[in-house]
Amino acid sequence: MGQDQTKQQIEKGLHLYQSNQTEKALRVWMRVLEKSADPAGRFRVLGCLITAHAEMGRYKDMLKFAVVQIDTARELEDPDYLTESYLNLARSNEKLCEFQKTISYCKTCLNMQGTTVSLQLNGQVSLSMGNAFLGLSIFQKALECFEKALRYAHNNDDKMLECRVCCSLGNFYAQIKDYEKALFFPCKAAELVNDYGKGWSLKYRAMSQYHMAVAYRKLGRLADAMDCCEESMKIALQHGDRPLQALCLLCFADIHRSRKDVQTAFPRYDSSMSIMTEIGNRLGLVQVLLGMTKCWMIRKELDKALESIEKAQELAEGLGNKLGLLKLHCLCERIYRTKGQQQELRDHVVKFHECVEEMELYCGMCGESIGEKNNQLQALPCSHFFHLKCLQTNGTRGCPNCRRLSVKPGYV
């Protein structure tokens, strides 16, 4: 298959894919991959296969094609192709929750000396790296990467990237419990979709609606959360987007749990868990198990709650997700206090405070914890964040956290 025919077949596959004929599109692209003698065409078709498998939640296949794409990029001896292939390798590992590998491949991308094409990818690289740092609960570095990605989006007038970064920022602020910002950023993403997204994939609308649903639930606006989640789920079902279906089911379950309707919540957690297991979203599984633990606690079935915690703890430790571990220690603390088991209670109190220290989840001005309850936060240019009221009350002459880190011990 020559260059022109390769190009023609790739376009045919794209047309099928955009018409929701995914399996037919995959067959066309696989035929191109087998028969094409054009390395640039093979590289492009591998990019199509990587994107399609990502959206279907077939992350192991996504990774397999990303590895083949790197070999093709090396054959082409072009730094732009190599940067793009390493970004796809990073994104594959991010989806599989291999966060340290994601960060390593992103750093490889940023160190490559490509042309302006490579530089335009740096925004996507920073976004992927930020998502990985967030998965590891390294919040300052995550925020630093998201802000960098946002600057790239603004400088290149890349509205799609800006939309994706806004969704990740919504997730970031939901985790550290500034729920106003957790809602603001996906609302901004939804605005971008309305203003610029006429030719975009519907996944951008679905993504923003899902993150709005999460924030609305956290704010106790359950009817709004349900509306947004239903809209997101509708698009996810139309497009066979398994990863988003799993997240929506988790959100539905959380909404029902917030209404104390445990009986309706459990089947949705089970369905979400089934898809998360199938696609390999281990971080999502931790969230599902946390929700199920809270349901068992509502039912006062504490031994079943501890069983869920044990499974979640094993996953969170394997991922290096420190925020998940902190939440699990907090739930154990409540369970063992109810059971009157003082030694276990003390153990989990100590571990809880160790997690807080390790993640630096406290305000460097007042010393009180961040992420314990809904609080307005404000980041300084260094990406350290504080209670907004503390910054307003005390003002700032530089960052107190950075000052502490720069103080070197003197020689004795």
Side-chain angles (χ1 to χ4, degrees):
M1 191 183 288
Q3 197 172 353
D4 290 342
Q5 202 181 349
T6 298
K7 192 176 175 184
Q8 199 178 18
Q9 289 298 303
I10 291 171
E11 291 303 323
K12 180 184 173 184
L14 281 168
H15 179 71
L16 287 165
Y17 187 67
Q18 284 155 7
S19 311
N20 274 347
Q21 298 181 66
T22 306
E23 293 302 330
K24 281 185 182 176
L26 292 179
R27 283 198 292 276
V28 169
W29 288 332
M30 286 303 294
R31 202 159 52 243
V32 173
L33 196 59
E34 285 161 21
K35 297 191 175 177
S36 177
D38 170 32
R42 283 169 58 81
F43 183 91
R44 191 173 169 220
V45 85
L46 282 160
C48 295
L49 286 163
I50 288 162
T51 301
H53 283 88
E55 289 185 1
M56 289 186 290
R58 297 180 190 170
Y59 298 143
K60 285 179 183 169
D61 289 329
M62 179 190 181
L63 178 62
K64 184 179 73 181
F65 289 121
V67 170
V68 177
Q69 196 185 43
I70 282 188
D71 293 336
T72 311
R74 289 200 177 109
E75 193 185 324
L76 286 158
E77 295 182 339
D78 184 317
D80 288 342
Y81 283 123
L82 207 52
T83 302
E84 188 179 333
S85 60
Y86 269 104
L87 169 60
N88 283 328
L89 192 57
R91 284 174 54 237
S92 306
N93 278 284
E94 179 204 323
K95 300 293 185 190
L96 287 164
C97 303
E98 295 286 354
F99 299 125
Q100 294 289 4
K101 286 183 184 176
T102 304
I103 292 161
S104 174
Y105 289 129
C106 284
K107 285 178 178 173
T108 302
C109 288
L110 294 172
N111 289 334
M112 285 192 183
Q113 298 300 310
T115 63
T116 50
V117 177
S118 293
L119 291 174
Q120 281 173 0
L121 289 176
N122 281 353
Q124 293 182 50
V125 175
S126 296
L127 173 59
S128 192
M129 198 189 279
N131 289 335
F133 277 126
L134 188 56
L136 295 168
S137 312
I138 304 173
F139 295 108
Q140 187 211 358
K141 286 189 175 176
L143 186 57
E144 203 176 291
C145 289
F146 292 146
E147 288 179 338
K148 211 176 278 183
L150 210 49
R151 281 198 297 277
Y152 279 117
H154 290 154
N155 293 342
N156 294 306
D157 199 29
D158 187 340
K159 302 298 182 189
M160 279 189 188
L161 176 61
E162 188 180 347
C163 180
R164 288 167 59 203
V165 178
C166 283
C167 288
S168 285
L169 281 165
N171 184 23
F172 174 89
Y173 282 108
Q175 289 194 29
I176 58 171
K177 296 193 179 179
D178 180 342
Y179 296 148
E180 283 75 13
K181 284 193 179 72
L183 180 60
F184 169 80
F185 282 106
C187 283
K188 173 70 179 161
E191 274 178 35
L192 289 165
V193 172
N194 288 334
D195 293 346
Y196 303 98
K198 199 176 176 186
W200 297 4
S201 159
L202 276 172
K203 73 174 182 185
Y204 288 94
R205 178 165 181 78
M207 198 166 55
S208 61
Q209 292 294 316
Y210 161 73
H211 286 286
M212 284 166 68
V214 170
Y216 278 133
R217 186 193 72 80
K218 302 264 189 189
L219 286 162
R221 293 170 59 179
L222 301 183
D224 290 327
M226 189 60 89
D227 288 346
C228 290
C229 200
E230 280 173 353
E231 167 121 20
S232 184
M233 186 59 151
K234 187 177 159 190
I235 297 168
L237 288 167
Q238 280 170 356
H239 289 259
D241 187 334
R242 301 285 283 162
L244 188 55
Q245 288 170 30
L247 291 172
C248 288
L249 284 162
L250 169 58
C251 189
F252 283 135
D254 285 339
I255 292 166
H256 291 300
R257 175 173 56 77
S258 297
R259 290 173 170 162
K260 299 287 186 283
D261 183 358
V262 173
Q263 197 172 343
T264 311
F266 266 125
R268 283 150 186 80
Y269 282 128
D270 286 335
S271 299
S272 180
M273 182 182 271
S274 175
I275 300 174
M276 299 276 194
T277 305
E278 171 203 318
I279 66 179
N281 183 354
R282 289 173 290 153
L283 188 57
L285 282 172
V286 173
Q287 302 307 315
V288 171
L289 287 162
L290 274 164
M292 292 176 99
T293 300
K294 290 171 186 174
C295 283
W296 290 124
M297 288 170 75
I298 290 167
R299 281 189 171 177
K300 298 188 167 46
E301 296 191 46
L302 301 185
D303 289 334
K304 285 187 175 174
L306 286 169
E307 281 173 30
S308 291
I309 285 173
E310 195 180 330
K311 290 176 193 167
Q313 192 168 341
E314 191 181 332
L315 283 165
E317 281 172 355
L319 295 168
N321 180 246
K322 293 183 275 291
L323 185 64
L325 289 170
L326 178 141
K327 288 178 177 179
L328 291 163
H329 292 312
C330 186
L331 292 172
C332 282
E333 193 184 319
R334 282 167 54 192
I335 290 168
Y336 287 121
R337 181 171 280 114
T338 304
K339 281 174 161 266
Q341 293 176 230
Q342 296 305 315
Q343 185 56 53
E344 287 86 350
L345 169 61
R346 277 193 293 273
D347 288 348
H348 285 286
V349 169
V350 169
K351 285 174 183 171
F352 174 84
H353 287 293
E354 282 172 359
C355 286
V356 171
E357 283 292 319
E358 198 178 344
M359 288 185 283
E360 296 182 10
L361 273 181
Y362 50 82
C363 176
M365 289 189 172
C366 68
E368 287 183 19
S369 64
I370 283 173
E372 198 174 325
K373 58 180 187 288
N374 185 17
N375 244 319
Q376 282 189 288
L377 305 170
Q378 183 63 48
L380 293 179
C382 58
S383 299
H384 282 120
F385 43 88
F386 304 86
H387 293 127
L388 178 62
K389 64 179 190 299
C390 294
L391 285 173
Q392 288 171 338
T393 306
N394 302 316
T396 178
R397 293 173 297 284
C399 172
N401 288 17
C402 289
R403 271 204 305 277
R404 272 196 296 279
L405 291 170
S406 68
V407 173
K408 303 282 190 293
Y411 292 104
V412 178

